[in-house]
Amino acid sequence: MRFVLPFLFAATLHAENWPQWRGPRLDGTSQDRGFPMELTEKTLAWKAELPGEGHASPIVWGDHVFTVASLPEEQARVLLCLDRATGKVQWQKEVLKTGLEGKHRLNSHASSTPATDGEKVFTAFLDQMEVVVSAHDFSGKQVWQVRPGTFASKHGFCSSPILFEDKVIVNCDHDGPGYMVAFSRADGRELWRIQRPNQTRSYCVPLIREMAGRTQMVLTGTKCVTSYDPRDGRLLWMMDGPTEQFVASPVFDEKSGLLLLSGGFPEHHILAIRPDGAGDVTNTHIKWRTNKGVSYVPSPICEKGWLLIVSDSGIGHCFDAKTGEIVWEERMKEHHASLVSAEGRVYFINDFGLMRSVKPGKKYDLLAESELDEKVYASPAMSEGQIFVRGSKHLFCIGKRTAATAAR
């Protein structure tokens, strides 16, 4: 089976899976329909207790839901497969058993979201000071496992694998010689390796999109913004700064053609960048910038020409993506989950489990809000009218599946 990300097509021809961090386009958007705006007794399809702990998002493919967890007492990291219809755990496989690395209090030992191509599930964990990338089939059998290099950070590990064509790509910016590696999905062979500059930890997943007439893989991290060709790792352009460390993923606004990013430590910036440059674009391609409304951890979203973002402290902002004008701001309490959208609605879920659906526009338009009654640090997944939210103890499935028999 050949897996090609949907951004290569002009429109979605059938219902979408949610195969990796931030979904099929790596930007938090779903093109499916039929999603509920809130959690109620009627919209809750199921609620499944999860073992251990973790901040990794769920991913969805057909009838399967996958996520990972850390079992601290056993010092094990496991991959879980749940039945989409019922939430029942179909299998749980140990991927790695090793001592737990040091981490930030807001991190977990299972923070890297897995990825799937419909045949294999790919995971990334840390074995003390060494990155471990693994592939398992849909029965839970390990197909391959590789150790691409070392990783050092006092804040712990979070490097979610992503997929492009025949590749699994893992970013390993850390406090040492950073690198990004592409492996063959089939057998784990290394296909290319990028040596990253500046030796500074960041936790970003690159965005791969068609921008300015070419396929680009844009990564914020280690004191710079860089664009590469994802097929061979060749550098296309680079911008210094605007800050040292990044966590939030960049997004692309189709309406204005601008790449938008948020960087949060130690300086705070939101930048809009024209992605048509070559070489050093530090002084030539920034369309607008601001220090207001910046998020460090939660990734923003673009919806119909609006950039929506929420700071870690919980102040939501809506910008005109083309101009950088702030059209509204709203207090929402602390957030670490990234934003998702569908059907012209943007979903915010704060750390306390309050879910809001908001219509982007010139004024704050709250459509609905509801409580999950559980803390939430993981970002949601959306597929075929269903929202999957990982809480501190449970995985919630909200909504009725609208395309259960859609072709795959």
Side-chain angles (χ1 to χ4, degrees):
M1 175 189 294
R2 179 174 171 81
F3 177 78
V4 181
L5 289 178
F7 65 75
L8 297 179
F9 296 95
T12 300
L13 302 180
H14 54 70
E16 292 186 316
N17 293 301
W18 194 271
Q20 59 194 335
W21 166 249
R22 304 214 79 199
R25 284 163 294 280
L26 296 163
D27 63 0
T29 64
S30 173
Q31 295 179 358
D32 286 344
R33 304 189 65 80
F35 294 97
M37 288 189 288
E38 59 187 329
L39 171 62
T40 66
E41 290 185 4
K42 290 185 177 181
T43 61
L44 180 62
W46 49 259
K47 175 181 173 182
E49 185 173 2
L50 295 176
E53 51 89 22
H55 294 170
S57 298
I59 58 170
V60 185
W61 190 282
D63 297 329
H64 306 277
V65 181
F66 300 96
T67 193
V68 295
S70 170
L71 310 180
E73 292 184 2
E74 303 172 30
Q75 295 194 326
R77 280 58 144 202
V78 298
L79 173 63
L80 301 160
C81 177
L82 290 80
D83 177 72
R84 179 177 186 155
T86 65
K88 182 179 179 180
V89 176
Q90 295 182 316
W91 49 259
Q92 175 180 312
K93 297 295 180 180
E94 183 178 287
V95 180
L96 181 66
K97 190 165 187 176
T98 185
L100 301 177
E101 68 270 10
K103 65 175 183 65
H104 191 280
R105 63 181 178 84
L106 293 176
N107 198 359
S108 79
H109 292 109
S111 293
S112 301
T113 297
T116 182
D117 59 1
E119 295 178 345
K120 302 179 187 70
V121 186
F122 306 94
T123 59
F125 294 105
L126 191 64
D127 182 356
Q128 301 295 316
M129 297 282 291
E130 194 171 29
V131 178
V132 178
V133 182
S134 307
H136 290 72
D137 65 20
F138 270 35
S139 71
K141 179 183 177 182
Q142 183 178 297
V143 180
W144 53 259
Q145 186 174 89
V146 294
R147 294 172 177 257
T150 59
F151 185 97
S153 170
K154 65 181 181 180
H155 291 162
F157 182 74
C158 181
S159 294
S160 299
I162 62 167
L163 305 178
F164 176 75
E165 297 182 346
D166 60 340
K167 301 170 183 67
V168 185
I169 300 170
V170 183
N171 169 41
C172 296
D173 282 340
H174 70 106
D175 292 333
Y179 53 97
M180 185 159 50
V181 188
F183 304 101
S184 164
R185 289 195 291 114
D187 56 19
R189 288 179 298 109
E190 186 172 311
L191 301 177
W192 53 249
R193 176 180 290 254
I194 296 167
Q195 299 300 324
R196 297 278 289 154
N198 300 325
Q199 302 188 15
T200 300
R201 62 184 175 272
S202 288
Y203 299 94
C204 296
V205 171
L207 174 70
I208 304 178
R209 292 295 291 271
E210 288 290 320
M211 293 182 283
R214 52 188 173 172
T215 305
Q216 300 190 48
M217 176 176 66
V218 177
L219 180 61
T220 54
T222 191
K223 303 181 182 180
C224 61
V225 182
T226 44
S227 174
Y228 302 96
D229 185 330
R231 294 184 171 90
D232 57 16
R234 176 172 53 90
L235 180 67
L236 301 176
W237 55 262
M238 181 174 181
M239 188 194 78
D240 292 333
T243 191
E244 181 177 319
Q245 295 174 29
F246 299 80
V247 177
S249 299
V251 290
F252 180 64
D253 176 46
E254 297 280 357
K255 191 173 181 180
S256 65
L258 293 174
L259 178 73
L260 298 131
L261 60 95
S262 180
F265 185 84
E267 297 180 0
H268 308 280
H269 296 267
I270 296 174
L271 293 187
I273 302 171
R274 291 188 290 107
D276 59 350
D280 187 344
V281 301
T282 305
N283 299 316
T284 58
H285 279 65
I286 298 174
K287 179 68 181 294
W288 59 262
R289 76 163 75 210
T290 184
N291 304 110
K292 296 181 179 180
V294 178
S295 70
Y296 181 35
V297 175
S299 299
I301 203 156
C302 279
E303 185 69 31
K304 300 186 184 304
W306 303 107
L307 171 69
L308 286 91
I309 192 166
V310 60
S311 66
D312 303 38
S313 61
I315 309 298
H317 285 75
C318 182
F319 293 84
D320 182 317
K322 183 178 180 179
T323 66
E325 176 192 1
I326 298 174
V327 296
W328 58 254
E329 59 182 89
E330 185 75 16
R331 291 190 177 275
M332 297 181 170
K333 298 188 75 172
E334 290 87 345
H335 273 71
H336 287 87
S338 296
L339 308 185
V340 292
S341 72
E343 301 177 273
R345 299 188 296 269
V346 175
Y347 292 80
F348 296 75
I349 305 180
N350 71 20
D351 292 358
F352 306 94
L354 176 65
M355 181 171 76
R356 295 177 173 91
S357 56
V358 175
K359 183 179 180 180
K362 292 186 177 181
K363 63 181 181 65
Y364 178 65
D365 187 358
L366 177 65
L367 302 175
E369 65 177 32
S370 51
E371 296 273 2
L372 276 72
D373 295 322
E374 196 164 308
K375 287 194 172 182
V376 175
Y377 295 99
S379 303
M382 306 184 77
S383 173
E384 299 179 25
Q386 294 181 306
I387 308 170
F388 299 84
V389 182
R390 183 191 189 141
S392 57
K393 298 179 180 178
H394 298 87
L395 181 63
F396 298 80
C397 176
I398 307 167
K400 182 179 179 181
R401 191 175 181 185
T402 56
T405 59
R408 283 286 181 266

